[in-house]
Amino acid sequence: SVLLVVLQPALITASLIDSDVRLAVHWWWGFPSILELRLLCRLATTGQPNALPVDRWQEHLLPDLVGGDVALLDQLWNTETANAEQMLSQVKAVAQNKGWTSERLHQWGLVGGQQVLRIQVTQPSEAPPSALRTLWAQGALYSTEEHGIELHTAALAILGRHHELRHRLWRGQAELVLPILDNIRLELCNYLTRQYGNDWPVKWDEPDHPDEASAVRENPLACGWGHLGWLIRKCSGLQSERRWLSLITSAAQIRNEIAHYRTITRSDFEHVFAQYRSFVRARLINQ
């Protein structure tokens, strides 16, 4: 027979772990992963009609923000989280409800203003490090397969470490938004290539940077947002394509925000995607 006992971390001592009574200790540590939380979010939206990439906003942002705290994920899922300020406000309220303070966090083992281990763990430990075990036992620390050991988001809010909170939002946004933006850029380049030939990126004006000029001569799909926007704005040969200038400008703007480690709002993303859908519909009509 097998006996399972769930104990508070404070009751698990070295002598208990090192005893010879065929006792195995498994720590509730290192899960769920970010991937598992995203799967949970995906299951929550399964069956929704006409799901679009913008509908995956929370699926990407919330797991990176909440880490291993499923209860916080559930709480934020049904609240307004369209921008960073709303999310951070919600997280701070959670910390206050828990009764966490900067003083308590330091009593539990947070030393000074140190960064808790912000390293990618190649071989995750089976148990919380002993120096951080009280923080973990209080729920203020977790570990995920993707990001290693991190302070709970609500603890960061209490400590005023807002740049780290924004980083967690940013990494979720980057994974969702950047591939979509690059796909839009490639579709625009493909469209212009079919309409104006392979030399359209250099036909009227060349990119300022020699490396980019060489790249677009070899492959027109290598044209970046900056040169693409310049050509549409300035070249008379592309005057009929200026209807897509708003799409190009908006997409380039949010791409630059994320590329410079700044967060965007959901409305920014929705605005770009709505314009992209108009571009796709126009192409289908003209085919």
Side-chain angles (χ1 to χ4, degrees), residues 8-38:
Q8 295 180 1
L11 299 178
I12 301 178
T13 64
S15 59
L16 179 63
I17 296 174
D18 295 336
S19 65
D20 58 356
V21 293
R22 297 180 179 270
L23 177 66
V25 176
H26 299 279
W27 295 85
W28 191 276
W29 168 255
F31 60 89
S33 67
I34 303 298
L35 179 61
E36 288 166 333
L37 289 179
R38 285 190 179 165

Side-chain angles (χ1 to χ4, degrees), residues 71-275:
L72 180 57
L73 174 68
D74 183 61
Q75 182 173 344
L76 293 178
W77 183 262
N78 294 311
T79 58
E80 183 57 50
T81 53
N83 60 50
E85 297 307 321
Q86 290 171 332
M87 284 190 175
L88 300 186
S89 176
Q90 290 286 339
V91 167
K92 192 165 187 178
V94 167
Q96 292 169 343
N97 290 336
K98 289 176 178 289
W100 290 359
T101 64
S102 176
E103 292 75 17
R104 284 192 174 184
L105 291 171
H106 287 88
Q107 289 172 3
W108 295 337
L110 184 64
V111 179
Q114 72 177 15
Q115 299 276 342
V116 175
L117 307 179
R118 295 294 302 271
I119 59 173
Q120 187 74 16
V121 181
T122 54
Q123 291 183 333
S125 60
E126 295 182 356
S130 57
L132 303 174
R133 200 158 289 173
T134 302
L135 278 168
W136 164 75
Q138 296 292 336
L141 186 84
Y142 56 76
S143 174
T144 62
E145 185 76 21
E146 292 83 358
H147 303 306
I149 301 172
E150 295 183 313
L151 276 177
H152 192 287
T153 297
L156 292 180
I158 288 296
L159 295 169
R161 287 156 64 166
H162 296 153
H163 62 288
E164 293 182 61
L165 290 171
R166 291 182 183 278
H167 171 73
R168 294 185 188 183
L169 292 174
W170 170 84
R171 68 193 183 191
Q173 289 184 355
E175 190 169 351
L176 170 67
V177 176
L178 286 180
I180 292 173
L181 292 179
D182 199 52
N183 184 63
I184 293 173
R185 184 190 63 81
L186 289 172
E187 290 203 37
L188 284 163
C189 290
N190 263 314
Y191 164 75
L192 293 172
T193 301
R194 289 194 300 270
Q195 295 293 111
Y196 302 98
N198 288 343
D199 64 342
W200 66 266
V202 296
K203 183 183 293 186
W204 297 279
D205 197 3
E206 293 189 359
D208 292 333
H209 198 284
D211 288 344
E212 185 179 358
S214 176
V216 296
R217 284 194 191 94
E218 182 178 343
N219 179 8
L221 302 187
C223 185
W225 286 111
H227 188 57
L228 179 59
W230 170 262
L231 291 176
I232 298 297
R233 281 194 305 271
K234 300 296 184 178
C235 298
S236 58
L238 293 172
Q239 186 172 0
S240 63
E241 309 303 341
R242 288 178 187 165
R243 53 187 169 154
W244 310 125
L245 185 57
S246 178
L247 166 61
I248 294 169
T249 302
S250 300
Q253 182 177 353
I254 66 172
R255 180 266 177 196
N256 289 340
E257 289 296 301
I258 294 178
H260 290 88
Y261 315 109
R262 295 187 290 263
T263 58
I264 63 171
T265 66
R266 178 169 180 159
S267 61
D268 292 334
F269 186 39
E270 289 175 336
H271 176 66
V272 169
F273 200 78
Q275 293 181 93

